[in-house]
Amino acid sequence: MFFGLETTSSVFCSMNPMIARWISPGLFPWVLGGLAGLAWWLSFPPHDFLPLSWVALIPLLWVVDHTRRPLPVIFGAACLAFGLSTWWVYRAALIGAVAGVVANALYLTLAVMFYAWLQKAGSLATDKKVWLQWLAWVSPWLAMEYVHQRIDLDFPWMLLGHAPANHPWWIQYYEWTGVAGGSLWILSVNFWLYQTVMQRRQAKLWAALWLLIPAAVSVGLYQFRENTKFRENTQEPSIRVLAVQPNLDPYRVKFEPSTYAEQMRIFLKCTDSLEGTGLVVWPETALPDYWVLGDGAPKNPWMDTLQNYVRNRPGLALMTGASVVQLHGQRSGSPTYTFYNSALGLGSVDSSEPPNIHTTPALYHKSKLVIGVEKLPYPTVFNAIARWISVDLGGMTGQLGTQSERTPLMMGWVSPGIPLKVAPMICYESIFGAYCGGFVNNGANLLAVMTNDGWWGETDGHRQHLAYARLRCIEQRRSMIRSANTGISALIDHRGEFVDTLGWGRRGVVQGRLQLRNEPTLYAKYGDVLGRLSCVFTVLFGLLYGVRTLMKNRA
């Protein structure tokens, strides 16, 4: 009987007698759930045992097919995977770590239980069209990932397609599909390998095709991008870049006013390391103190110092993170203002231009905000408990302002007719692929990430964040300069490969030359097509099998 304990017992009894001696039938699904969670965790950065991702979900498929109540096991496996992968969040806020794990586990459980409902109520398990079961398996999961990246309660750190982030030669097709293509690959390999175990007809063939074809296509693309003749025939210009890593403790030094003068000295000394003209990037909130805009705004002496520094160095373009306050005047006798986590651009890489005309900064405001730190999700719902869920990371907390457009910062002209337009992604924004594509569609030919990962200490968090940045380079076919306060700073090329890195907890710079590319990828142009299609298929499955179930119950 499907979903029945009889099936569980019959399958269990056919197991190895030694296993049966130690594991009771009631415990066996939980053991499988635990194995799934562990394999899932180990397949992601920084452990990077990618082959485990191809089998990590097989136990969950078995649990759905052979247990009466799979929900607790699915939820437990997801909590284990997310808990082991994102435990480091507790270093900044325990409530953030718990909430992130529970929310992500609920999202995933909802997707898998939708598939389980289709298997049971929709009678998909008895349908001979296995491809229909496959579609019902991948669609809700991909739809969940798509929606997850677009709601206020977003923390899409563990999307399945993130698992191969440190294996760029396997995932070059992300320039067409984005991360969803990797999720589809992993989901499909798991499904067809499970069907092979269940001895479904032609399942071995489909498992081999899903495993090998995406990998073969990716390796071909990787070799094509690497091919010497191909590189010689390209006419893309390049730019010298330098990323500063000051290594300032975010808890005890970074936001302490008595250290501002020393911080500025460190930044300027590191910037002097730039050889010739080019672009320099400082990390998130690098500019000391607040930069206040509006009538009657107080002066920020460190901003004046920075502007004078750039003014006296023709050919220097500098991007820095800053805490910005925009004054709006008085309302009911009190001043009104908006706080922003921003990126400022000063100077120009074109040394022939008069430097004094570029000291008014170009400005971008971070718009993908961190829950509980920079934004309160759904304020009408959560406002009553805001004081308990707000997290103070030493800078600005509460509801920060955003901007609607993904505007690249214009940093001068590399050569006549070729501008330098930089996508200024601030910290959390770098894990959203379609969001990054908005900068590219608006003309960005270079990616920049400014971040401060020091809140988590030397844990998996900063390594995962760096790995996911590599995906943006592949998706958009753009090189990246990444400046991280405490590390890891890096230069990454358009294939997701490191050009230079500076490890955790070190002070210094990374520098080199990066290509500028102007053609948008298919993914940049059209976004998450797989996600949108999956949402459509999920709705159609729900309507079709919902009606079928209703008619069956009435009969």
Side-chain angles (χ1 to χ4, degrees), residues 126-347:
T126 59
D127 199 317
K128 295 182 180 180
K129 298 175 180 177
V130 185
W131 65 267
L132 201 59
Q133 294 183 46
W134 163 78
L135 192 59
W137 163 247
V138 301
S139 294
W141 197 304
L142 294 178
M144 176 271 296
E145 291 191 346
Y146 177 82
V147 173
H148 187 184
Q149 297 175 76
R150 289 160 176 81
I151 59 176
D152 258 9
L153 289 168
D154 57 346
F155 184 51
W157 203 263
M158 294 291 290
L159 303 181
L160 273 183
H162 286 169
N166 282 327
H167 302 277
W169 51 91
W170 289 92
I171 52 174
Q172 294 295 306
Y173 58 86
Y174 279 23
E175 68 171 280
W176 304 328
T177 67
V179 166
S183 297
L184 175 61
W185 178 42
I186 292 171
L187 287 167
S188 299
V189 172
N190 274 273
F191 179 84
W192 291 108
L193 286 178
Y194 171 69
Q195 297 301 328
T196 299
V197 172
M198 294 292 105
Q199 300 181 343
R200 287 293 187 99
R201 211 167 131 193
Q202 295 184 332
K204 290 181 181 178
L205 174 63
W206 283 107
L209 291 175
W210 271 105
L211 182 61
L212 297 177
I213 289 180
V217 169
S218 179
V219 171
L221 283 171
Y222 185 90
Q223 294 299 326
F224 176 68
R225 300 289 182 185
E226 173 64 11
N227 184 273
T228 303
K229 184 177 179 181
F230 173 79
R231 286 189 290 144
E232 289 176 348
N233 288 339
T234 58
Q235 300 300 316
E236 285 93 351
S238 63
I239 183 73
R240 180 166 290 282
V241 298
L242 179 145
V244 175
Q245 182 171 302
N247 194 35
L248 302 171
D249 188 315
Y251 289 104
R252 293 185 290 271
V253 176
K254 180 72 186 70
F255 298 100
E256 173 54 50
S258 64
T259 68
Y260 287 168
E262 176 62 13
Q263 290 184 41
M264 183 58 73
R265 187 194 67 80
I266 291 170
F267 278 116
L268 296 182
K269 181 179 179 181
C270 289
T271 302
D272 286 336
S273 302
L274 179 68
E275 300 171 2
T277 63
L279 173 70
V280 175
V281 178
W282 293 3
E284 181 182 15
T285 63
L287 181 70
D289 210 351
Y290 295 110
W291 187 44
V292 186
L293 305 176
D295 294 336
K299 282 276 190 179
N300 181 325
W302 313 114
M303 186 63 181
D304 293 340
T305 300
L306 185 55
Q307 288 180 314
N308 288 330
Y309 178 87
V310 172
R311 184 181 292 113
N312 294 324
R313 285 162 177 78
L316 171 66
L318 190 146
M319 286 178 53
T320 179
S323 301
V324 174
V325 181
Q326 177 68 60
L327 301 180
H328 302 299
Q330 300 281 328
R331 180 182 298 172
S332 301
S334 301
T336 59
Y337 45 82
T338 303
F339 289 97
Y340 296 98
N341 187 351
S342 305
L344 311 181
L346 299 95

Side-chain angles (χ1 to χ4, degrees), residues 432-447:
F432 294 88
Y435 185 89
C436 178
F439 289 109
V440 172
N441 287 329
N442 286 329
N445 50 14
L446 181 69
L447 308 180

Side-chain angles (χ1 to χ4, degrees), residues 110-111 114-115 117-118 135-144 530-545:
L110 181 64
F114 186 85
Y115 167 73
W117 172 74
L118 292 176
L135 192 59
W137 163 247
V138 301
S139 294
W141 197 304
L142 294 178
M144 176 271 296
L530 284 177
R532 293 194 291 271
L533 286 175
S534 296
C535 289
V536 171
F537 280 119
T538 301
V539 171
L540 290 177
F541 271 121
L543 292 175
L544 176 63
Y545 288 98

